[in-house]
Amino acid sequence: MTKRSSRIVAFFLIVLMVGALIGATAKNITQNINLGLDLRGGFEVLYKVKPAKEGDKITRDVLVSTVHALENRVNVLGVSEPNIQIEGTDRIRVQLAGVKDQNKAREVLSTQAKLTFRDVNDNLLMDGSDLKENGAKQTFDQQNRPSVGLTLKSAEKFRSVTEKVLAMKPDNLMVIWLDFEEGKDSYKAEIGKPKPKYLSAASVDQVFNQTEVSIVGNFTPEEAKDLAKLLNAGALPVELEEMYSTSVGAKFGETALQKTILAGIIGIALIFLFMIVYYRLPGIVAVINLLMYIYVTLLIFDWMNAVLTLPGIAALVLGVGIAVDANIITDERFKDELKIGKSVMAAYRAGNRHSFLTVLDAHITTMLAAIVLFIFGTSAVKGFATSLMVSLIVGFITNVGGTRLLLGLLVNSRYFDKKIGYFGVKTKDIIPISKGVEHAPTKFDKVDFVKVGKSFLTFSIIFTVIGIIVLSIFKLNLGIDFSSGSRIDVKGNAVMNVSELKADLKALDIVAQDIVLTGTNNDSAAVRLKDVLTKDEIARVKSELGTKYGNEPSVSTVSPTIGKEIARNALIAVLIASVGIVLYVSLRFRFTYAVAAVIALLHDAFFIITAFSVLRLEVDLPFIAAVLTIVGYSINDSIVTFDRNRELYKKRKIRTAQDLEDIVNLSVRQTLARSVNTVLTVLLPVIALLIFGSDSLRGFSIALFIGLIVGTYSSVFVASQIWLLLEKSRLKKGKGKKEEEETKPELQV
């Protein structure tokens, strides 16, 4: 077997092995991945932990014991794989995906389960500490009614208590309470109610010298069983105050999952089609590696036992577009080298060498934004950030290492030496190497981007001024994440009637701030409220609206404290991401590049914010994730242009302002096609998410769509123009090329 044929055989063997591996294990991997509550229903709540008694302090040990108590209660609910985490010094976040009865779960978690025995004057006789460990069980009384049997620690103490109650004739009643509130609850206030708060009030007609007690009430067998389990789980050592909560009905989660997967498949299929049609053989290699990228990313999620959320799937789909950028940057450079007459082998090596640092810089700057998102984001945003970080790392490895391995085998086989068309290059476009041309002509050679850019830069400045005025007048349409309040998402089986829904809410003593129809057929509605609903109000909403409309609604609440924290963290995240990018680009390029790039990305972020203000679109947490993603991607796009700019700058003698303008024109002309193709491959999945994806990702997708288009515009007409102005200023001061020549030469990979 010749070397040529052995490399071709090796290529096909690797592809077959990869295909066989994916085919054999992909189904099991996808089935093992844990889905978040937004994909299979469930709820999340952030509690502020407060002392149960005056003078108590919330320490780390108290938080840990509270988590254990909550875990015991989750076992009562029968929920698998709960996520209960301590946050900060006085908060605990609970996430329960797949829980069927959310109202019951909320009640079980938040109740302190403090069992007390009292007389009719509410004096404490015994409490839960007198109960034996696991001393509660579901039983039946003499009339075969469901009851809860208790085993006490001391028969002597129970004898003493019953003696005291017996002596109170005719008020010889032992009242058993759960979570009695001093100064608020009383037996006398509750006795006349159809459903009193106390569990039971038993008459004591004799002294009992025993450890067995029964609580008899209007229980169903299931209620009695749950109460017994709750008492065995133990009382909470603290009080829990809800600061933030979100609950997703099972139907909402199922629909969101189906829509997002469909959108992802369509978006990824469009990317595959584009790569194959436009780049031919390198495009086929890219598709193979993208399939490997998706497989490895899901495999890592499985290994991490990570929870895949709706934003996480969006990040995975978006990651395909970002991952393919590495191929486009390399393939475009490969084509450039072929067009100036180099052999396939030489062009391939030069393309790899010149594109590697561009790809690395682009991935690192996007990674900076993802890390900041993870640090400052809430749970849903952390899911997006985690997925984005994994996608970036896996994408870099598979689409740089994998592509170079597979494409290298084909190129090194020498089978394609005379078949330039397989690499997307026409023979007529090739310039003989004897002419010594450094760069092939482009479609944009007649365009003076510096001259045109001045007009666009002026437009951007005017737009920014107008945007500031617009924002000061219209403000942002802040969602409850930032403004506090509640949101109810109702899904019906037909077109929703706003007036009818408003009346339904009014019947529940709930006044809607606004109601917006959603869904492809207006069969859903988003209701926003100024007030933060209590757990009892949420229970009524879920019960009443769920019964009427056939689907359990999703309800989210955000307290004013959390709303302010989220807004502050969002601002800090954008600032830290910007500073981090400035520092990195300053080290890798030079300060003028960093300043120009950051001004451009802030311009992009401001454009998105202004657009949302004018269109009155809701600003929520996914919106912040979208803005920070654009911050990372905008710098990514600017780096593609600046990388060629720096390369040209090093090769030329800069004496006049015209020399700098020539560099800007050449760098933009030579990278514009690459920039358009890279943004197109990310736009394809975003458009698919926008058209076919879940309603809850609509604002996120719109923000990405606007940001990607504006980001490409700003990298060409804003970043390059600002760099030019800064470099002209340096040139006037006698800096510039002289300073550049004094720097140490950069290592090439």
Side-chain angles (χ1 to χ4, degrees):
M1 185 182 291
T2 64
K3 284 188 177 181
R4 172 187 294 189
S5 58
S6 65
R7 289 190 172 101
I8 297 291
V9 169
F11 172 85
F12 282 107
L13 281 175
I14 292 173
V15 172
L16 287 172
M17 287 172 62
V18 168
L21 178 65
I22 293 174
T25 60
K27 186 176 180 180
N28 288 335
I29 290 171
T30 53
Q31 288 177 343
N32 288 339
I33 292 176
N34 299 318
L35 297 179
L37 61 92
D38 56 350
L39 294 174
R40 59 181 176 132
F43 85 96
E44 172 184 353
V45 60
L46 178 65
Y47 290 118
K48 181 179 177 66
V49 182
K50 301 169 71 175
K53 298 177 183 176
E54 191 175 342
D56 288 352
K57 291 185 178 180
I58 302 302
T59 63
R60 180 74 183 180
D61 289 340
V62 170
L63 291 173
V64 170
S65 65
T66 304
V67 167
H68 289 325
L70 290 173
E71 286 172 345
N72 288 336
R73 293 179 177 212
V74 170
N75 292 334
V76 170
L77 295 168
V79 177
S80 61
E81 298 178 351
N83 185 10
I84 304 176
Q85 295 179 336
I86 296 171
E87 293 187 4
T89 57
D90 62 351
R91 293 178 187 175
I92 293 176
R93 187 181 297 273
V94 180
Q95 293 172 312
L96 303 178
V99 62
K100 293 179 180 179
D101 190 340
Q102 295 181 18
N103 291 337
K104 174 185 170 184
R106 200 183 218 103
E107 188 67 34
V108 167
L109 283 174
S110 60
T111 183
Q112 284 187 278
K114 288 186 176 178
L115 183 71
T116 56
F117 298 75
R118 299 174 183 269
D119 60 25
V120 293
N121 298 318
D122 305 322
N123 295 313
L124 179 64
L125 302 172
M126 293 191 303
D127 60 26
S129 63
D130 294 301
L131 193 67
K132 267 192 175 182
E133 187 176 349
N134 295 319
K137 61 182 178 180
Q138 191 264 313
T139 57
F140 293 92
D141 66 6
Q142 293 176 347
Q143 283 77 41
N144 205 33
R145 293 175 300 178
S147 61
V148 178
L150 303 178
T151 303
L152 303 175
K153 292 178 180 177
S154 170
E156 175 62 27
K157 184 170 185 178
F158 191 50
R159 186 189 64 78
S160 174
V161 165
T162 52
E163 273 183 355
K164 190 181 295 184
V165 174
L166 183 62
M168 295 177 67
K169 284 185 177 181
D171 297 321
N172 51 326
L173 297 176
M174 181 182 290
V175 189
I176 303 177
W177 294 81
L178 196 67
D179 292 347
F180 179 90
E181 294 184 54
E182 296 284 353
K184 183 178 178 182
D185 293 330
S186 72
Y187 169 75
K188 292 174 182 177
E190 294 291 325
I191 190 173
K193 295 181 181 180
K195 291 185 177 181
K197 184 179 175 182
Y198 55 78
L199 295 175
S200 67
S203 176
V204 178
D205 296 321
Q206 65 183 75
V207 175
F208 292 98
N209 187 20
Q210 62 189 54
T211 58
E212 302 297 326
V213 182
S214 286
I215 304 175
V216 180
N218 294 318
F219 300 126
T220 65
E222 191 63 30
E223 288 171 340
K225 188 182 294 182
D226 288 341
L227 178 57
K229 288 181 179 178
L230 188 59
L231 293 174
N232 287 331
L236 282 178
V238 296
E239 288 184 8
L240 299 178
E241 176 189 332
E242 284 193 15
M243 303 188 73
Y244 164 90
S245 72
T246 182
S247 62
V248 180
K251 187 67 176 178
F252 271 96
E254 182 184 339
T255 303
L257 179 61
Q258 291 172 351
K259 284 187 173 183
T260 306
I261 289 177
L262 174 63
I265 291 171
I266 293 172
I268 292 169
L270 289 172
I271 291 175
F272 287 0
L273 183 63
F274 171 80
M275 291 300 295
I276 293 171
V277 171
Y278 192 87
Y279 289 104
R280 309 291 177 86
L281 189 59
I284 293 172
V285 171
V287 167
I288 294 169
N289 280 285
L290 286 171
L291 287 170
M292 193 63 187
Y293 149 80
I294 295 170
Y295 172 79
V296 173
T297 302
L298 293 175
L299 181 62
I300 289 175
F301 264 85
D302 183 22
W303 287 346
M304 291 170 59
N305 201 29
V307 177
L308 193 61
T309 62
L310 193 59
I313 293 178
L316 179 62
V317 175
L318 186 65
V320 176
I322 295 175
V324 81
D325 285 358
N327 294 92
I328 289 176
I329 291 169
T330 304
D331 293 345
E332 283 290 337
R333 197 62 191 251
F334 184 14
K335 288 171 67 175
D336 288 345
E337 301 293 339
L338 285 173
K339 287 177 182 178
I340 59 174
K342 289 186 179 180
S343 67
V344 171
M345 180 77 77
Y348 171 72
R349 289 174 177 171
N352 282 343
R353 185 175 66 254
H354 291 303
S355 64
F356 180 81
L357 289 177
T358 307
V359 173
L360 181 65
D361 290 334
H363 275 70
I364 288 176
T365 47
T366 308
M367 180 65 77
L368 285 173
I371 292 170
V372 171
L373 268 175
F374 182 82
I375 294 171
F376 291 96
T378 60
S379 57
V381 176
K382 283 182 187 292
F384 173 83
T386 302
S387 186
L388 187 58
M389 285 189 285
V390 171
S391 297
L392 286 166
I393 295 169
V394 176
F396 183 81
I397 294 171
T398 57
N399 292 289
V400 173
T403 297
R404 293 179 186 217
L405 170 64
L406 292 179
L407 194 56
L409 286 172
L410 297 178
V411 169
N412 288 316
S413 73
R414 313 305 293 264
Y415 180 80
F416 300 96
D417 283 358
K418 303 298 181 182
K419 299 177 176 63
I420 305 298
Y422 280 81
F423 302 100
V425 177
K426 296 178 181 177
T427 306
K428 65 177 183 178
D429 294 333
I430 297 175
I431 301 169
I433 197 168
S434 58
K435 292 190 176 182
V437 177
E438 288 189 6
H439 296 286
T442 70
K443 299 175 183 178
F444 313 104
D445 285 349
K446 294 182 180 179
V447 181
D448 188 340
F449 285 98
V450 171
K451 185 177 180 180
V452 175
K454 290 176 182 176
S455 301
F456 280 111
L457 183 60
T458 303
F459 163 76
S460 289
I461 293 170
I462 294 171
F463 176 85
T464 302
V465 173
I466 293 173
I468 293 171
I469 297 170
V470 167
L471 281 171
S472 63
I473 296 172
F474 294 104
K475 311 287 185 193
L476 287 171
N477 178 23
L478 295 176
I480 64 168
D481 293 332
F482 301 105
S483 61
S484 81
S486 304
R487 176 185 168 116
I488 305 170
D489 289 292
V490 185
K491 183 173 179 59
N493 297 318
V495 176
M496 298 288 290
N497 185 304
V498 173
S499 300
E500 186 179 345
L501 179 56
K502 192 176 290 185
D504 293 334
L505 292 168
K506 191 174 181 181
L508 295 169
D509 295 325
I510 294 173
V511 179
Q513 184 180 355
D514 60 63
I515 299 177
V516 179
L517 293 179
T518 59
T520 51
N521 301 313
N522 286 339
D523 58 350
S524 303
V527 183
R528 196 161 63 177
L529 316 173
K530 286 184 178 179
D531 299 325
V532 179
L533 296 176
T534 65
K535 66 178 183 181
D536 292 334
E537 289 172 327
I538 292 172
R540 289 203 307 272
V541 165
K542 282 182 165 290
S543 176
E544 297 296 327
L545 297 186
T547 300
K548 177 166 183 178
Y549 292 98
N551 300 295
E552 186 178 272
S554 298
V555 183
S556 300
T557 64
V558 180
S559 71
T561 303
I562 292 297
K564 290 176 183 177
E565 281 186 18
I566 291 172
R568 184 177 68 248
N569 287 345
L571 179 61
I572 292 172
V574 173
L575 291 175
I576 290 178
S578 300
V579 170
I581 289 168
V582 167
L583 291 173
Y584 180 78
V585 179
S586 296
L587 291 171
R588 286 289 296 115
F589 290 74
R590 195 172 59 247
F591 190 67
T592 52
Y593 290 100
V595 172
V598 169
I599 290 175
L601 70 85
L602 292 176
H603 160 276
D604 300 343
F606 183 77
F607 197 106
I608 301 170
I609 292 168
T610 304
F612 266 59
S613 175
V614 172
L615 298 172
R616 306 313 299 157
L617 295 169
E618 188 175 82
V619 173
D620 53 11
L621 279 174
F623 170 82
I624 298 301
V627 170
L628 280 176
T629 302
I630 291 302
V631 163
Y633 196 80
S634 176
I635 197 75
N636 182 325
D637 208 25
S638 296
I639 281 175
V640 171
T641 305
F642 281 164
D643 188 66
R644 184 61 63 90
N645 179 307
R646 179 178 59 177
E647 188 179 322
L648 294 169
Y649 191 97
K650 287 180 178 180
K651 292 180 179 179
R652 291 171 174 252
K653 292 182 179 180
I654 309 300
R655 295 190 176 91
T656 66
Q658 184 60 48
D659 294 331
L660 291 171
E661 291 181 4
D662 289 343
I663 286 175
V664 170
N665 271 323
L666 285 171
S667 62
V668 172
R669 288 167 187 163
Q670 292 170 12
T671 58
L672 187 55
R674 190 192 309 177
S675 296
V676 170
N677 286 349
T678 54
V679 78
L680 180 62
T681 54
V682 185
L683 271 175
L684 288 173
V686 170
I687 292 171
L689 284 171
L690 190 58
I691 297 173
F692 303 103
S694 168
D695 290 333
S696 56
L697 286 177
R698 191 61 44 85
F700 172 83
S701 302
I702 291 173
L704 283 179
F705 180 80
I706 295 171
L708 287 167
I709 293 174
V710 174
T712 304
Y713 155 81
S714 69
S715 67
V716 175
F717 298 114
V718 176
S720 293
Q721 293 297 319
I722 292 171
W723 178 86
L724 181 60
L725 291 173
L726 293 172
E727 284 295 332
K728 283 182 177 180
S729 175
R730 293 177 75 242
L731 192 65
K732 286 179 182 178
K733 294 176 183 178
K735 298 179 181 180
K737 188 65 177 178
K738 181 180 178 181
E739 181 182 299
E740 184 74 17
E741 288 170 349
E742 290 174 355
T743 60
K744 293 181 180 180
E746 185 177 326
L747 291 173
Q748 294 293 324
V749 178

